[in-house]
Amino acid sequence: MGVKRSPQRPTEPIRLKIEEGITLTAVGAVKISVPLIVNSDFFPSGFKLDAQKKVVYIDPVLVDGEEPADFLLITHPHSDHFSIQDIRKLIKGDTILICPVKVHKKLSCDHTGCIVKLIRPGERLDFDDISIESVAAYNIKAGIITPHPKSAMNVGYIITSQNTRIYHTGDTDYVPEMQRLKDINAVLTPIDGGNLTMTTPKAAALVNHLKPRFAVPMHYNIGTPGVEEFRHLIQSDTRVVVMDGQQRSGNAE
């Protein structure tokens, strides 16, 4: 699969202030191409989180700027989530890179001094002023091929900073492990996923179960009607924030 910069990427990053001192930034649209199969402008799952002076990247691909990471979180090894080139742009000597087993097997940061930590679904890593929890991320829909099998031990992440909890689901269906989650302030969820990730109604069901303050759709083809469907399905106590840079009401400011 080819991944390159999309002409739909906005010139200025899209940001969302979640709490005082906690800001989410969208990395930006990419062009996904597979010969004879797909060629689309795509809003990926890559984000930057500034959390109380700590810089956290989740699945960075084709990042703009090179602000070094304090933490780098990778959900799984697919090329629109795991980019060695972007990791090398972002790491510094004390960067902590957290990843599941299949990424860990592919990754070598020894020459950079990057600290690599393996995480499995359901585990938690605590640091001085931030904690990282992993949540299982996998497909439950039947198909000829399962893009994200449970056996791969892919993950989503809950990042907690000063009692604010941001949940990035990774590539996943709405799985039973999500039923146990609570006190989530912002959810970043795939929509419109067909057999790859959550459908839009399932993504909305997850958000309505968790009742966060913010819901950010991700991992969809730009221009899909699924974005507006998602917005209409979300209960009124949650603000849906679209961060792909296209002109829609309710976008981040």
Side-chain angles (χ1 to χ4, degrees):
M1 180 169 64
V3 181
K4 62 182 181 180
R5 189 183 184 91
S6 166
Q8 298 294 323
R9 180 175 288 203
T11 55
E12 294 293 331
I14 308 299
R15 295 184 175 90
L16 169 64
K17 181 179 177 181
I18 296 174
E19 297 286 353
E20 191 65 38
I22 300 178
T23 301
L24 184 72
T25 302
V27 170
V30 299
K31 175 75 76 172
I32 299 285
S33 60
V34 179
L36 305 178
I37 298 176
V38 65
N39 184 31
S40 65
D41 295 302
F42 187 73
F43 184 66
S45 302
F47 292 87
K48 174 189 173 191
L49 182 68
D50 292 279
Q52 307 298 337
K53 300 183 179 180
K54 295 295 183 182
V55 178
V56 182
Y57 289 88
I58 312 159
D59 287 352
V61 175
L62 299 179
V63 293
D64 285 328
E66 297 182 8
E67 183 176 9
D70 294 299
F71 296 91
L72 259 170
L73 313 181
I74 309 297
T75 62
H76 68 289
H78 290 173
S79 59
D80 56 327
H81 299 260
F82 173 48
S83 166
I84 291 285
Q85 180 180 359
D86 286 285
I87 288 170
R88 287 174 177 160
K89 288 181 186 177
L90 297 170
I91 55 177
K92 53 191 174 109
D94 59 351
T95 297
I96 297 173
L97 192 153
I98 299 170
C99 60
V101 60
K102 289 202 169 182
V103 175
H104 193 269
K105 288 178 179 178
K106 292 186 174 185
L107 191 62
S108 174
C109 287
D110 292 344
H111 64 287
T112 64
C114 177
I115 302 163
V116 181
K117 291 186 177 290
L118 173 65
I119 198 165
R120 296 178 176 85
E123 294 183 339
R124 171 174 171 155
L125 298 172
D126 291 311
F127 304 94
D128 289 341
D129 45 11
I130 200 167
S131 70
I132 311 292
E133 302 170 58
S134 64
V135 181
Y138 58 92
N139 293 131
I140 56 177
K141 294 187 287 289
I144 298 173
I145 298 174
T146 303
H148 312 98
K150 187 173 184 179
S151 60
M153 294 192 289
N154 298 336
V155 297
Y157 292 101
I158 299 173
I159 304 115
T160 302
S161 175
Q162 293 196 345
N163 298 319
T164 297
R165 288 162 57 80
I166 297 99
Y167 176 31
H168 183 295
T169 68
D171 277 10
T172 184
D173 283 318
Y174 186 1
V175 298
E177 289 86 342
M178 296 172 178
Q179 292 292 317
R180 299 192 292 268
L181 305 180
K182 60 183 180 179
D183 301 326
I184 303 296
N185 302 96
V187 175
L188 286 61
T189 177
I191 64 167
D192 202 26
N195 289 325
L196 295 175
T197 65
M198 278 181 266
T199 64
T200 300
K202 285 292 187 181
L206 169 64
V207 172
N208 290 335
H209 169 69
L210 294 176
K211 298 178 172 59
R213 183 180 175 193
F214 298 104
V216 178
M218 64 181 186
H219 204 272
Y220 57 84
N221 290 331
I222 289 178
T224 175
V227 171
E228 291 306 317
E229 180 187 2
F230 181 71
R231 190 193 304 281
H232 290 312
L233 290 172
I234 297 300
Q235 294 169 355
S236 58
D237 288 345
T238 296
R239 178 185 168 196
V240 175
V241 182
V242 179
M243 299 185 71
D244 63 14
Q246 309 305 299
Q247 295 300 312
R248 296 187 180 96
S249 61
N251 282 9
E253 297 176 355

